[in-house]
Amino acid sequence: CSTDPTARSRRMPRDTKPEDGKPANVLTDDAMRGDATLITSDQPIPAPLRETLRRLLDLMIPATGDGRLPSAGSLDLYADRGRLDDAALATLGDGLSGIAALARERSGREFAALDDADAMALVNEYRAIAPQFFGVFVVQSAARYYQHDRVLIAIGLEPRAPFPLGNDIPEGDWSLLDPVRARAAARGPLYRRA
């Protein structure tokens, strides 16, 4: 991981549009900056792509009909970088840019403005083009959703880390390890002493 703050903006584009020479499906320096008053890690997804992200999240995890569970797009799941490494962040940015560009190309409208049927058709088309994006997006989004305080409360859990309060775990049957201990005692240690 580079400590150079400009390293991300020097990333070479995978493809360019010959008519204007600008990178396609990569985050530009301006897009990466987003709101100049925020630290970069505060908003990992640039402002121009956040509406696309919200719409995609709402398609993935809509609100429940009874309102008990919120939609994923309403929770601002990507408000911080969390555990996103540079590669995952680049994949998300490239994928969101690609979906937005495909929506404009196919419909002349922004992805967020499409109705559910058109948006899902576009998502399915883009899934065939960029499956790696959806691999990162689905795992990151589901994990962030089910760790959000509002969702934890709605499913009956306390919105806290499991420690230091811990969780009650029933005592197990330690005798189940006796065969392993006996085998180790007969054979000797499984590791070499240093």
Side-chain angles (χ1 to χ4, degrees):
C1 183
S2 173
T3 57
D4 179 2
T6 61
R8 190 176 343 167
S9 63
R10 290 195 311 249
R11 185 174 66 239
M12 294 300 293
R14 283 178 277 220
D15 52 2
T16 57
K17 293 182 181 178
E19 64 272 6
D20 62 8
K22 291 183 180 175
N25 293 337
V26 294
L27 298 175
T28 63
D29 289 342
D30 292 337
M32 285 305 296
R33 275 192 217 87
D35 183 347
T37 63
L38 296 176
I39 298 172
T40 305
S41 62
D42 286 347
Q43 291 289 333
I45 305 298
L49 299 177
R50 285 191 210 128
E51 285 304 314
T52 299
L53 174 64
R54 277 196 261 307
R55 181 71 170 112
L56 192 57
L57 285 167
D58 282 343
L59 288 171
M60 180 181 160
I61 305 175
T64 57
D66 61 5
R68 192 174 68 94
L69 289 169
S71 72
S74 69
L75 297 177
D76 201 13
L77 298 179
Y78 290 88
D80 62 60
R81 187 173 174 139
R83 292 190 177 129
L84 283 176
D85 61 20
D86 288 343
L89 184 59
T91 299
L92 285 172
D94 292 349
L96 292 170
S97 294
I99 288 173
L102 188 61
R104 287 189 295 274
E105 178 185 312
R106 297 282 191 268
S107 69
R109 297 182 298 167
E110 292 298 321
F111 180 71
L114 299 177
D115 62 42
D116 286 351
D118 290 341
M120 280 307 299
L122 194 130
V123 164
N124 289 330
E125 180 180 351
Y126 195 72
R127 187 175 303 157
I129 297 168
Q132 71 283 359
F133 162 71
F134 286 98
V136 171
F137 175 75
V138 168
V139 168
Q140 284 289 325
S141 300
R144 288 167 182 259
Y145 181 80
Y146 286 104
Q147 291 173 8
H148 195 279
D149 288 353
R150 284 180 54 197
V151 175
L152 289 172
I153 291 168
I155 61 177
L157 299 174
E158 290 182 57
R160 62 172 178 82
F163 297 99
L165 296 178
N167 290 306
D168 292 330
I169 299 173
E171 188 66 31
D173 182 5
W174 290 96
S175 66
L176 294 173
L177 291 175
D178 289 342
V180 176
R181 290 184 187 120
R183 189 171 56 234
R187 184 176 61 210
L190 295 175
Y191 53 88
R192 182 179 59 182
R193 290 228 183 263

XYZ file of all heavy atoms in Angstrom, residues 26-66:
310
model
N -12.778 5.131 -15.316
C -11.816 5.283 -14.223
C -12.145 6.567 -13.495
O -12.747 7.478 -14.054
C -10.342 5.328 -14.712
C -9.937 4.002 -15.314
C -10.101 6.448 -15.671
N -11.767 6.658 -12.254
C -12.036 7.851 -11.470
C -11.027 8.926 -11.830
O -9.826 8.686 -11.843
C -11.952 7.529 -9.976
C -12.965 6.508 -9.487
C -12.705 6.197 -8.031
C -14.360 6.996 -9.689
N -11.509 10.116 -12.116
C -10.615 11.221 -12.424
C -10.166 11.887 -11.145
O -10.734 11.653 -10.078
C -11.349 12.274 -13.293
O -12.434 12.801 -12.527
C -11.860 11.657 -14.588
N -9.139 12.731 -11.250
C -8.663 13.447 -10.071
C -9.796 14.256 -9.447
O -9.973 14.271 -8.237
C -7.513 14.393 -10.424
C -6.236 13.631 -10.759
O -6.141 12.443 -10.392
O -5.349 14.226 -11.379
N -10.591 14.955 -10.283
C -11.685 15.766 -9.759
C -12.739 14.902 -9.070
O -13.256 15.249 -8.014
C -12.348 16.567 -10.883
C -11.431 17.642 -11.435
O -10.504 18.068 -10.700
O -11.621 18.036 -12.595
N -13.067 13.756 -9.672
C -14.068 12.885 -9.067
C -13.574 12.308 -7.751
O -14.326 12.156 -6.811
C -14.423 11.754 -10.029
N -12.299 11.995 -7.670
C -11.756 11.434 -6.436
C -11.754 12.465 -5.319
O -11.883 12.125 -4.158
C -10.329 10.915 -6.649
C -10.254 9.612 -7.416
S -11.235 8.300 -6.714
C -10.440 8.078 -5.153
N -11.588 13.733 -5.661
C -11.571 14.759 -4.625
C -12.950 14.922 -3.993
O -13.067 15.125 -2.808
C -11.108 16.094 -5.210
C -9.619 16.219 -5.246
C -9.221 17.656 -5.549
N -8.059 17.651 -6.383
C -8.032 17.590 -7.706
N -9.140 17.534 -8.378
N -6.916 17.583 -8.369
N -14.005 14.827 -4.818
C -15.356 15.004 -4.285
C -15.482 16.360 -3.619
O -15.077 17.375 -4.153
N -16.039 16.388 -2.424
C -16.199 17.616 -1.669
C -14.839 18.003 -1.083
O -14.257 17.265 -0.300
C -17.216 17.391 -0.560
C -17.505 18.639 0.246
O -16.770 19.636 0.134
O -18.475 18.608 1.001
N -14.339 19.168 -1.450
C -13.000 19.598 -1.041
C -12.884 19.804 0.468
O -11.784 19.866 0.993
C -12.631 20.890 -1.771
N -14.015 19.885 1.190
C -13.948 20.099 2.634
C -13.779 18.799 3.404
O -13.608 18.820 4.602
C -15.220 20.806 3.144
O -16.337 19.938 2.902
C -15.418 22.136 2.456
N -13.849 17.655 2.721
C -13.760 16.375 3.394
C -12.406 15.731 3.176
O -11.781 15.907 2.143
C -14.835 15.423 2.868
C -16.270 15.840 3.122
C -17.220 14.868 2.458
C -16.559 15.899 4.605
N -11.971 14.960 4.143
C -10.783 14.149 3.977
C -11.153 13.046 2.989
O -12.258 12.514 3.030
C -10.350 13.558 5.334
C -9.995 14.696 6.278
C -9.214 12.567 5.162
C -9.743 14.246 7.693
N -10.242 12.674 2.096
C -10.542 11.703 1.057
C -11.171 10.443 1.611
O -12.116 9.915 1.055
C -9.259 11.344 0.288
O -8.674 12.548 -0.191
C -9.555 10.438 -0.879
N -10.678 9.946 2.723
C -11.202 8.701 3.259
C -12.611 8.855 3.816
O -13.288 7.866 4.046
C -10.280 8.162 4.347
O -10.208 9.071 5.412
N -13.077 10.097 4.037
C -14.426 10.300 4.537
C -15.482 9.946 3.500
O -16.569 9.528 3.841
C -14.640 11.745 4.987
C -13.943 12.054 6.293
O -13.504 11.101 6.967
O -13.818 13.243 6.624
N -15.192 10.159 2.239
C -16.136 9.890 1.161
C -15.419 9.109 0.066
O -14.924 9.692 -0.881
C -16.706 11.196 0.599
C -17.613 11.939 1.531
C -18.940 11.234 1.725
O -19.416 10.508 0.873
N -19.538 11.443 2.885
N -15.336 7.800 0.186
C -14.576 7.026 -0.787
C -15.200 7.014 -2.179
O -14.503 6.833 -3.160
C -14.541 5.628 -0.193
C -15.728 5.567 0.684
C -15.909 6.959 1.222
N -16.505 7.196 -2.269
C -17.179 7.225 -3.563
C -17.428 8.686 -3.922
O -18.064 9.417 -3.174
C -18.519 6.453 -3.507
C -18.316 5.025 -3.005
C -19.205 6.486 -4.868
C -17.433 4.153 -3.848
N -16.920 9.138 -5.062
C -17.065 10.545 -5.440
C -18.525 10.952 -5.633
O -19.374 10.132 -5.983
C -16.290 10.653 -6.747
C -15.943 9.284 -7.158
C -16.177 8.357 -6.030
N -18.798 12.213 -5.389
C -20.157 12.757 -5.434
C -20.907 12.430 -6.726
O -22.080 12.059 -6.667
C -20.123 14.265 -5.190
N -20.288 12.549 -7.904
C -21.040 12.257 -9.129
C -21.556 10.816 -9.220
O -22.504 10.545 -9.940
C -20.035 12.526 -10.249
C -18.993 13.392 -9.654
C -18.942 13.050 -8.203
N -20.967 9.907 -8.485
C -21.370 8.502 -8.561
C -22.263 8.063 -7.406
O -22.778 6.951 -7.408
C -20.123 7.611 -8.585
C -19.183 7.812 -9.760
C -17.958 6.926 -9.628
C -19.901 7.551 -11.077
N -22.485 8.923 -6.432
C -23.251 8.510 -5.252
C -24.711 8.210 -5.558
O -25.297 7.306 -4.967
C -23.133 9.559 -4.145
C -21.786 9.497 -3.484
C -21.696 10.315 -2.206
N -20.318 10.748 -2.091
C -19.928 11.980 -1.904
N -20.807 12.940 -1.734
N -18.646 12.265 -1.843
N -25.328 8.949 -6.479
C -26.728 8.664 -6.846
C -26.836 7.322 -7.559
O -27.777 6.566 -7.333
C -27.323 9.788 -7.692
C -27.659 11.030 -6.892
C -28.605 10.746 -5.728
O -29.614 10.034 -5.908
O -28.330 11.233 -4.613
N -25.861 7.018 -8.407
C -25.822 5.704 -9.058
C -25.682 4.617 -7.999
O -26.377 3.599 -8.043
C -24.653 5.640 -10.065
O -24.850 6.646 -11.061
C -24.548 4.287 -10.714
N -24.798 4.830 -7.036
C -24.591 3.874 -5.951
C -25.872 3.677 -5.151
O -26.281 2.543 -4.882
C -23.461 4.343 -5.035
C -23.227 3.517 -3.773
C -22.789 2.102 -4.121
C -22.206 4.197 -2.879
N -26.545 4.770 -4.769
C -27.775 4.659 -3.977
C -28.848 3.860 -4.726
O -29.521 3.014 -4.153
C -28.307 6.044 -3.620
C -27.651 6.657 -2.415
C -28.433 7.829 -1.861
N -28.051 9.176 -2.192
C -26.857 9.719 -2.054
N -25.858 9.014 -1.646
N -26.638 10.976 -2.335
N -28.981 4.143 -6.019
C -30.002 3.444 -6.820
C -29.677 1.957 -6.920
O -30.553 1.110 -6.795
C -30.068 4.083 -8.216
C -31.095 3.458 -9.124
C -32.505 3.817 -8.642
N -33.468 3.416 -9.627
C -34.338 2.426 -9.427
N -34.376 1.787 -8.283
N -35.184 2.095 -10.370
N -28.410 1.641 -7.124
C -27.992 0.245 -7.217
C -28.194 -0.475 -5.885
O -28.660 -1.625 -5.851
C -26.530 0.184 -7.665
C -25.985 -1.162 -8.098
C -26.805 -1.755 -9.235
C -24.538 -1.017 -8.522
N -27.885 0.197 -4.785
C -28.106 -0.387 -3.458
C -29.591 -0.648 -3.213
O -29.963 -1.681 -2.658
C -27.548 0.534 -2.371
C -26.038 0.564 -2.222
C -25.609 1.736 -1.341
C -25.523 -0.750 -1.651
N -30.452 0.289 -3.627
C -31.894 0.105 -3.447
C -32.428 -1.058 -4.278
O -33.374 -1.738 -3.865
C -32.653 1.382 -3.793
C -32.585 2.419 -2.685
O -32.239 2.055 -1.548
O -32.881 3.595 -2.962
N -31.828 -1.291 -5.440
C -32.231 -2.445 -6.248
C -31.793 -3.745 -5.578
O -32.497 -4.743 -5.609
C -31.622 -2.366 -7.647
C -32.209 -1.319 -8.578
C -31.371 -1.213 -9.842
C -33.660 -1.641 -8.922
N -30.625 -3.720 -4.961
C -30.084 -4.917 -4.319
C -30.836 -5.261 -3.033
O -31.233 -6.405 -2.821
C -28.603 -4.720 -4.007
C -27.946 -5.894 -3.340
S -26.218 -5.529 -3.012
C -25.878 -6.745 -1.754
N -31.032 -4.265 -2.174
C -31.721 -4.485 -0.892
C -32.767 -3.378 -0.720
O -32.486 -2.312 -0.175
C -30.741 -4.467 0.301
C -29.608 -5.468 0.091
C -31.495 -4.757 1.604
C -28.541 -5.437 1.166
N -33.983 -3.627 -1.210
C -35.042 -2.622 -1.030
C -35.570 -2.643 0.402
O -35.343 -3.602 1.145
C -36.118 -3.064 -2.023
C -35.888 -4.527 -2.209
C -34.417 -4.776 -1.988
N -36.273 -1.605 0.769
C -36.909 -1.566 2.097
C -37.999 -2.626 2.153
O -38.602 -2.966 1.141
C -37.501 -0.189 2.352
N -38.232 -3.152 3.345
C -39.330 -4.109 3.498
C -40.650 -3.359 3.406
O -40.724 -2.161 3.699
C -39.232 -4.853 4.844
O -39.225 -3.905 5.909
C -37.996 -5.725 4.908
N -41.678 -4.064 2.994
C -42.994 -3.454 2.830
C -43.541 -2.851 4.104
O -44.238 -1.831 4.078
N -43.210 -3.457 5.245
C -43.715 -2.942 6.521
C -42.837 -1.820 7.088
O -43.135 -1.269 8.140
C -43.838 -4.074 7.543
C -42.510 -4.760 7.852
O -41.451 -4.310 7.349
O -42.527 -5.765 8.591
